[in-house]
Structure formats: structure tokens, C-alpha cells
Amino acid sequence: MSKVKKHSIKNDFSMLALLIIPVAVAVNFVGGQLAVILKLPCYLDAIGTVFGAILCGPWVGATIGLLTNVVTGIANPITFAFAPTSIALGFVTGLLSEKKMFSNIGKIIISLIIMAFVSIIVSAPIIVLVYGGVTGGGPSVVTAMLMATGTNIWASVIGSDGLFNALDRIIAFIITYFIIKVIPDRTLIKFSCGEYYVKES
């Protein structure tokens, strides 16, 4: 009988995980800046968070999310307010990884829906109550269009932010998936959740 692996904050923050955190934050920062500069219909600022959370668990994922917003907030103060969204995404993604929810296509789809749903639930009140529904970028344009048709602000924000968040989580997972595929098994097993992604021999 295989031994059930116990997860803890201490196990999540292994030496390798501590090395991954600044790299993941840098990836998020660069991705977010590229999305803004190129005016892409997605954020690209959660790739490192999803990657770190899937391999290292919820606490590392939450930490990457928090640090990402601290760093990106220096360049764009608006992102400071969305730290709860990044933290929630990292934590939930890590929990899903611990529950082996990225092991097959059916579970992956469910996980992506949960990740997008959590992001929307946390970010929508921030967008509406702090910024009045407008934060700039693609989502705000869609929100304004929906409101112009008579849709109330909450439905407009949830609809537009939901679309962009879902797209962003899918992109982040796909990139993470292919990166994990090329990581050697001997390296994967050093991460808290890495053993779940060891290739079948």
C-alpha cells in the first residue's frame, strides 16, 4: 500500500521552492508587462503563480501571488488592490494540485473553472467598489460596452472579467503543462506536489 503524502507549509517551502519563487514572480511581471504593451486580450501575469502552485502547493502559490502584486504595483499601482485575487488563485491552484486535480482532462477542466471562478469572485468586488468598474485595459472596454447596453455594473464586470480570467487561466495552465513535461523526474520529485507529474515509465 502506497503511503499517503502529508502536505504542510514546511514541506511546501523546500529549498527548490524558495528558488522558484523569485523566478515565478519575474515571469509574472514580464508577462503582465507584455500584455499591457502589446494590448493583448489577457493578463499573462499569473503564469508563474500557476506553475509554482501546481508544483509546490498552496502556500508557495499564495506567496508568489502576493509578491507578484507587490512588484507589479511599483510599475502600476492599480495592481496593489488585486493582491487578494492573486493570493486566492495561488492558494486554490495549489490545493487542487494536492488533490491531484490536474491528472486527467476531465479534472483539468473542472480545475480551470474553479480557478477562474475564484478569481472572478475575489476580483469583482474590487473592480466595482474600488475602481467603479473601470481599471483600464481590455476588460474595462468590454465592461463599458455591456453597461452601455443597459447591463448593470456587477453583471458587466463579472461577465467581462470572467471572460478574461478564464482565458488567462487556460493560457497559464497550458504553458505550465508544457514546462512540467520537460522537467526531469528526478527534479520533479523534489517539489511538494512534483511526484504527481512524474512521467509514466
Side-chain angles (χ1 to χ4, degrees), residues 47 50-51 54-55 102 108 170-184 188 197 199:
I47 297 170
V50 171
F51 174 77
I54 286 179
L55 281 186
F102 297 103
I108 288 172
I170 291 171
I171 292 173
F173 175 77
I174 290 174
I175 293 173
T176 294
Y177 174 84
F178 284 109
I179 293 175
I180 290 176
K181 279 291 185 182
V182 300
I183 296 177
L188 284 176
Y197 308 103
K199 293 79 175 174

Side-chain angles (χ1 to χ4, degrees), residues 14-29:
S14 64
M15 183 59 67
L16 193 54
L18 292 176
L19 294 174
I20 286 294
I21 289 173
V23 175
V25 172
V27 168
N28 286 344
F29 179 80

Side-chain angles (χ1 to χ4, degrees), residues 62-116:
T63 300
I64 294 171
L66 172 61
L67 293 177
T68 294
N69 283 72
V70 170
V71 173
T72 57
I74 297 173
N76 182 9
I78 288 178
T79 62
F80 276 126
F82 292 95
T85 304
S86 299
I87 293 170
L89 172 65
F91 194 80
V92 169
T93 303
L95 286 179
L96 290 168
S97 184
E98 285 186 355
K99 300 299 181 182
K100 303 180 183 179
M101 287 295 291
F102 297 103
S103 58
N104 61 56
I105 187 63
K107 290 182 178 181
I108 288 172
I109 292 173
I110 293 172
S111 296
L112 290 174
I113 292 173
I114 293 173
M115 290 159 62

Side-chain angles (χ1 to χ4, degrees), residues 1-192:
M1 182 181 294
S2 61
K3 185 178 180 181
V4 178
K5 184 173 182 178
K6 293 183 179 180
H7 292 274
S8 67
I9 297 178
K10 181 179 179 181
N11 289 336
D12 280 5
F13 285 96
S14 64
M15 183 59 67
L16 193 54
L18 292 176
L19 294 174
I20 286 294
I21 289 173
V23 175
V25 172
V27 168
N28 286 344
F29 179 80
V30 172
Q33 292 302 303
L34 281 175
V36 171
I37 294 172
L38 301 177
K39 300 186 184 302
L40 300 176
C42 52
Y43 304 112
L44 297 183
D45 61 352
I47 297 170
T49 302
V50 171
F51 174 77
I54 286 179
L55 281 186
C56 305
W59 298 105
V60 173
T63 300
I64 294 171
L66 172 61
L67 293 177
T68 294
N69 283 72
V70 170
V71 173
T72 57
I74 297 173
N76 182 9
I78 288 178
T79 62
F80 276 126
F82 292 95
T85 304
S86 299
I87 293 170
L89 172 65
F91 194 80
V92 169
T93 303
L95 286 179
L96 290 168
S97 184
E98 285 186 355
K99 300 299 181 182
K100 303 180 183 179
M101 287 295 291
F102 297 103
S103 58
N104 61 56
I105 187 63
K107 290 182 178 181
I108 288 172
I109 292 173
I110 293 172
S111 296
L112 290 174
I113 292 173
I114 293 173
M115 290 159 62
F117 178 77
V118 168
S119 298
I120 296 163
I121 292 301
V122 177
S123 64
I126 298 172
I127 296 171
V128 173
L129 301 178
V130 178
Y131 296 107
V134 179
T135 59
S140 294
V141 173
V142 177
T143 297
M145 291 174 60
L146 290 173
M147 291 178 64
T149 65
T151 306
N152 71 63
I153 187 171
W154 283 97
S156 298
V157 168
I158 291 173
S160 60
D161 197 54
L163 174 64
F164 282 82
N165 264 305
L167 176 62
D168 203 60
R169 299 332 174 215
I170 291 171
I171 292 173
F173 175 77
I174 290 174
I175 293 173
T176 294
Y177 174 84
F178 284 109
I179 293 175
I180 290 176
K181 279 291 185 182
V182 300
I183 296 177
D185 290 346
R186 63 180 180 276
T187 301
L188 284 176
I189 60 176
K190 296 178 182 179
F191 293 101
S192 178

